[in-house]
Amino acid sequence: MVQLSSRSPRRPSRRLLLGASASVVALTALSALPAAASAGAPPPVRDEDRAGDHLTVTVRHAGGGRDGTFELYCHPGGGSHPDVRGACGVLDRRTRWGRDTFAPVPRDSVCTMQYGGPATARITGTWAGRPVDATYGRGDGCEIGRWDRLVPLLPDLGSRGPAVRIPKSVGS
């Protein structure tokens, strides 16, 4: 036999209501934080951090009319650089919080022994609120790659394809 109760449905206990309220308050506070801050990552570079992006690029021994000293302003773009929009764009894409966009090749790098020519470049100024004084060359595969990652800030010297064509050996 089934017994039926005439009692009204149970009300939630006071402890349960307080716990639920505290959870809602905590979640609301956490959702107000930026996503990057809650993940423990540093915040992205903001436009107001870039309010003085100005670089001087000096290129030597590149040949073909590519030598010279050029001024570059970004955010907003301007200056005497031949490709202001492209140069600012490559810098924007390569800039990461906590990383030096213009860092030299690490000393312990293993690099191919190839010569990319006598071209050199020096970049000075301010980028993303930080001072810049970097030199570039093309003395080995790592330096060539470092240079090429900043094209068109630095002139394209045509080394994006195979550096050396190796002929097939006789009898193959």
Side-chain angles (χ1 to χ4, degrees), residues 12-156:
S13 74
R14 183 177 196 152
R15 191 176 344 168
L16 179 63
L17 286 175
L18 288 174
S21 297
S23 296
V24 169
V25 169
L27 287 173
T28 303
L30 286 176
S31 67
L33 293 174
S38 63
V45 177
R46 303 167 301 181
D47 286 339
E48 55 267 25
D49 295 332
R50 299 176 176 270
D53 290 343
H54 169 246
L55 298 173
T56 301
V57 181
T58 302
V59 179
R60 295 197 173 128
H61 311 295
R66 295 175 283 206
D67 292 356
T69 298
F70 308 99
E71 299 296 320
L72 177 68
Y73 295 89
C74 299
H75 315 107
S80 61
H81 191 280
D83 185 359
V84 170
R85 187 179 205 168
C88 291
V90 75
L91 288 169
D92 284 340
R93 287 187 301 277
R94 303 242 5 115
T95 300
R96 300 285 183 267
W97 187 264
R99 288 193 175 167
D100 182 358
T101 305
F102 306 95
V105 173
R107 291 188 187 271
D108 61 347
S109 297
V110 177
C111 305
T112 59
M113 293 178 64
Q114 67 188 85
Y115 181 62
T120 60
R122 183 171 183 199
I123 302 171
T124 58
T126 303
W127 182 256
R130 296 187 182 114
V132 175
D133 189 352
T135 57
Y136 289 77
R138 298 178 60 80
D140 62 35
C142 294
E143 290 292 339
I144 293 168
R146 180 174 174 246
W147 178 295
D148 287 349
R149 283 188 291 277
L150 287 184
V151 168
L153 174 66
L154 299 176
D156 186 351

